[in-house]
Amino acid sequence: MGIDLEPHRRHHRGADGEELAHGYSRETDAHVHAEESALAKLPADDPRLVGATIYSTLEPCSERRSRPFTCTQLILRSPVRRVVIAWREPSLLVADCVGVEVLGEAGVEVLELPDLADAARTVNAHLL
């Protein structure tokens, strides 16, 4: 099972590998983030989220002005306890993104795949 490297795309997979939802930035409006979009497609109490994994090209945001909750907070409010990312949030977007650290401190397993960082940067070149 790989990470979809489309720009800002997030996948949520259940414990059995089934894709539960996907989302991408600006999918529904100019301010929606990918994690937010994908999580909104599932009921918060969906039992398949227990044991699910979020796959993401970028680290979940830990700072946000356009919404009441960051993507890190949205993940923590869900039963998802595993996040896989390819690339840490670049400092040009957020000076000190701490999504990985906050998730880890809360008991969420975060796996960074640095071998995929160059591919993630390539598809997100419009951000740089």
Side-chain angles (χ1 to χ4, degrees), residues 14-108:
D16 64 357
E18 169 196 12
E19 181 180 301
L20 303 178
H22 65 268
Y24 55 91
S25 292
R26 296 176 216 60
E27 181 175 11
T28 57
D29 67 57
H31 300 288
V32 72
H33 288 188
E35 297 91 339
E36 174 184 23
S37 181
L39 284 169
K41 294 174 183 173
L42 298 166
D45 61 351
D46 188 322
R48 298 174 301 163
L49 287 171
V50 175
T53 300
I54 294 176
Y55 291 87
S56 174
T57 54
L58 289 174
E59 174 180 16
C61 71
S62 61
E63 185 178 316
R64 193 157 180 197
R65 291 186 182 95
S66 61
R67 295 281 204 260
F69 298 105
T70 67
C71 292
T72 296
Q73 290 169 322
L74 292 172
I75 292 167
L76 292 175
R77 293 167 60 112
S78 80
V80 173
R81 290 295 167 258
R82 185 167 191 261
V83 176
V84 177
I85 65 166
W87 183 28
R88 298 291 294 258
E89 186 81 21
S91 61
L92 62 106
L93 298 177
V94 175
D96 188 25
C97 186
V98 292
V100 167
E101 290 81 6
V102 171
L103 291 169
E105 288 168 7
V108 175

